Amino acid sequence: MFISVFDIFKIGIGPSSSHTVGPMVAVGRYLDRLRGLPGLSDRDDLSVSVTLHGSLAFTGKGHATDQAVCLGLLGAKPDALDPDDVASMIDGLTDSKTIKPDGLPEMAFDPATGVIFDYGPPLPLHTNAMTFKLLDGHGRPIDNFIYYSVGGGFVVTEDELSNTRNAREELKEQNVPYPFASATQMLEMGKASGRSIAEMKLENECCEAPLTEVEGRIDQIWSAMDACINRGISVDGILPGGLKVKRRASDIYQKLIHEGRSNPPFEHTVMDWLGVYAMAVNEENAGGGRVVTAPTNGAAGVIPAVTRYYLDHCPSANAEGIRTFLLTAAAVGGIIKANASISGAEVGCQGEVGSAAAMAAAGLCAALGGTNEQAENAAEIALEHHLGMTCDPIAGLVQVPCIERNAVGAVKAVTAASLALRGDGSHFVPLDGCIETMRQTGLDMSDRYKETSTGGLAVNIVAC
């Protein structure tokens, strides 16, 4: 099993990897499909419609899913789109009501009617489904196809989803030296080879690209994360969406800077730094800014916050340690994804912030010199204490409780790493057992608590 670090960490835009990034990717895949259909090049009577099902429909407005579909039809890619261009692109499409994808004829598409929200039962295979239709001038279907956005920006077809729970073209079995599919296998391979988790992960990655390229791309991932923190601590104002949630990271950051200059800090102030870093990222995400899925957008603040904590507050921190951190975190994230889920729509927020905290705990532990066994222990501690966490965003927005939840997840990650480093790596609950428990808990969890905003805080707190 091989899931690349660059599949786990993807540069994109907010506010959601499954509801914003995924739909943009799905649109791109559908346009590629149309380019392969015969007889379209000379048509001048074509139009496109997209129907959102399940969670994509119920929280699509709050997650800007309809906007993501429009941007995708205009050719935008999540990793290259400038958030400052979004408004003008949408306005232009609203005026023209036409799209002209590369390699395809001009087609009619009205943003007001071309995205359909289906509030009925979700499609059988997955709650995050999108049905694409290509229509002729009389409204008759020429092509009909379904894609599923399964979390973290991953998109699959019906066949890919049916063949195996996590199948997709980029995740097929590959010839890598350390193809661990579980934490147990990862530890066994590490013991047999004498290599760390990060070293094994790096060797796997180097089967895809040269070492210098891999390390350069890892550095770019951290640079994007760090830039997101820096933007978030420098911007104030009200987040979009109607809840009138105030950005707080900038104000908290300035207070921490001032207090640090004037008074001896409390020992627990370090938790405030963790919190402000995480909140800065998730406020940027909620505002539609550039973020890195880690492993999702809703949980994007945890890993950058803990990595920044490592850099700013750990005396031994260096660039090599950041690579160790992110490689180890990606290894753990890949195992969780392969054996359970990182999607709030599938298993609740235990799969998003819980997974992010486990990844961050393992990464920090490894960067601070922890053994493979200690890193696995750190991941298990962090994940275990997120089990059962629901995904119930108020008004379908990735704001409340999501922003603060990342701050608390970052603190839990550091606590888990610290506890693991105080031990010798032996512990009672294995990470694999904890991941399986999360999967089973997600299956038992009511759909009301899985990113549909039909239960929990989303119905008990008035959105005004």
Side-chain angles (χ1 to χ4, degrees):
M1 189 278 300
F2 175 66
I3 300 178
S4 172
V5 61
F6 307 113
D7 289 323
I8 295 295
F9 299 126
K10 295 189 284 287
I11 298 173
I13 64 168
S16 173
S17 51
S18 60
H19 288 55
T20 313
V21 175
M24 288 179 67
V25 173
V27 171
R29 289 194 67 176
Y30 186 65
L31 293 178
D32 284 341
R33 171 182 170 82
L34 294 186
R35 292 183 184 101
L37 296 182
L40 297 185
S41 58
D42 296 327
R43 299 288 294 261
D44 60 2
D45 62 340
L46 301 176
S47 63
V48 176
S49 73
V50 182
T51 301
L52 308 176
H53 307 277
S55 175
L56 289 179
F58 283 106
T59 61
K61 290 287 187 182
H63 288 73
T65 306
D66 49 348
Q67 180 173 278
V69 169
C70 294
L71 293 169
L73 289 171
L74 291 171
K77 306 294 183 185
D79 60 344
L81 177 64
D82 185 340
D84 292 336
D85 293 338
V86 168
S88 61
M89 293 174 70
I90 297 297
D91 287 344
L93 180 58
T94 300
D95 291 339
S96 71
K97 296 180 176 54
T98 59
I99 58 172
K100 180 61 175 73
D102 290 343
L104 289 168
E106 186 174 270
M107 305 179 193
F109 179 80
D110 184 349
T113 59
V115 181
I116 302 162
F117 291 81
D118 174 11
Y119 297 111
L123 299 192
L125 288 182
H126 197 278
T127 184
N128 285 346
M130 304 173 66
T131 299
F132 290 82
K133 290 183 180 179
L134 179 68
L135 308 170
D136 67 14
H138 299 284
R140 294 174 300 208
I142 298 172
D143 185 65
N144 188 66
F145 205 78
I146 299 173
Y147 288 99
Y148 300 90
S149 179
V150 295
F154 291 94
V155 171
V156 296
T157 66
E158 187 168 323
D159 285 344
E160 290 167 350
L161 193 63
S162 298
N163 289 339
T164 176
R165 187 171 64 224
N166 289 289
R168 58 198 45 83
E169 289 183 3
E170 66 266 33
L171 301 187
K172 289 178 180 176
E173 292 216 7
Q174 300 179 41
N175 185 22
V176 295
Y178 303 103
F180 50 82
S182 68
T184 299
Q185 290 178 353
M186 180 177 70
L187 293 179
E188 290 173 348
M189 291 179 187
K191 187 175 293 184
S193 66
R195 285 171 167 75
S196 69
I197 295 170
E199 288 169 341
M200 290 189 293
K201 186 67 174 168
L202 183 60
E203 286 199 41
N204 286 350
E205 297 292 337
C206 287
C207 293
E208 299 285 298
L211 174 62
T212 54
E213 180 181 332
V214 172
E215 290 184 335
R217 291 183 65 190
I218 292 172
D219 293 345
Q220 288 174 358
I221 292 295
W222 166 241
S223 179
M225 289 179 173
D226 195 38
C228 188
I229 292 175
N230 292 334
R231 286 194 306 273
I233 59 178
S234 63
V235 179
D236 54 20
I238 304 298
L239 292 170
L243 290 184
K244 300 179 182 178
V245 172
K246 181 181 178 182
R247 285 180 180 250
R248 290 180 287 163
S250 177
D251 182 57
I252 295 172
Y253 177 75
Q254 292 301 324
K255 288 178 179 177
L256 287 170
I257 293 292
H258 177 74
E259 291 169 6
R261 292 170 179 163
S262 58
N263 300 302
F266 292 111
E267 294 294 335
H268 66 250
T269 299
V270 70
M271 292 189 293
D272 297 334
W273 284 106
L274 277 164
V276 78
Y277 297 149
M279 290 174 66
V281 171
N282 282 87
E283 286 175 356
E284 276 295 292
N285 178 62
R290 182 168 299 284
V291 298
V292 178
T293 60
T296 67
N297 282 27
V302 176
I303 289 171
V306 178
T307 309
R308 182 73 169 260
Y309 162 82
Y310 164 74
L311 265 184
D312 291 355
H313 300 275
C314 299
S316 61
N318 54 43
E320 189 59 37
I322 292 176
R323 292 174 189 150
T324 295
F325 187 122
L326 294 178
L327 285 163
T328 305
V332 170
I335 290 170
I336 295 173
K337 176 160 185 58
N339 294 285
S341 176
I342 57 170
S343 167
E346 290 182 345
V347 296
C349 200
Q350 60 175 351
E352 295 206 27
V353 171
S355 295
M359 294 163 65
L364 179 62
C365 183
L368 293 177
T371 65
N372 291 351
E373 288 74 19
Q374 288 172 318
E376 184 262 358
N377 186 15
E380 184 279 322
I381 294 170
L383 184 59
E384 180 180 349
H385 299 290
H386 283 88
L387 291 176
M389 180 175 282
T390 59
C391 181
D392 51 353
I394 295 175
L397 298 167
V398 193
Q399 298 179 17
V400 182
C402 319
I403 294 170
E404 289 180 352
R405 188 168 284 177
N406 276 258
V408 176
V411 172
K412 284 187 179 182
V414 173
T415 302
S418 182
L419 285 171
L421 285 166
R422 295 292 182 183
D424 61 3
S426 60
H427 55 104
F428 194 81
V429 179
L431 177 58
D432 288 332
C434 192
I435 292 171
E436 174 58 18
T437 301
M438 184 184 79
R439 187 188 71 82
Q440 293 178 9
T441 303
L443 290 175
D444 292 339
M445 188 181 290
S446 168
D447 287 344
R448 291 182 296 141
Y449 304 112
K450 293 194 283 191
E451 210 169 356
T452 59
S453 290
T454 56
L457 288 174
V459 299
N460 288 301
I461 305 299
V462 176
C464 58

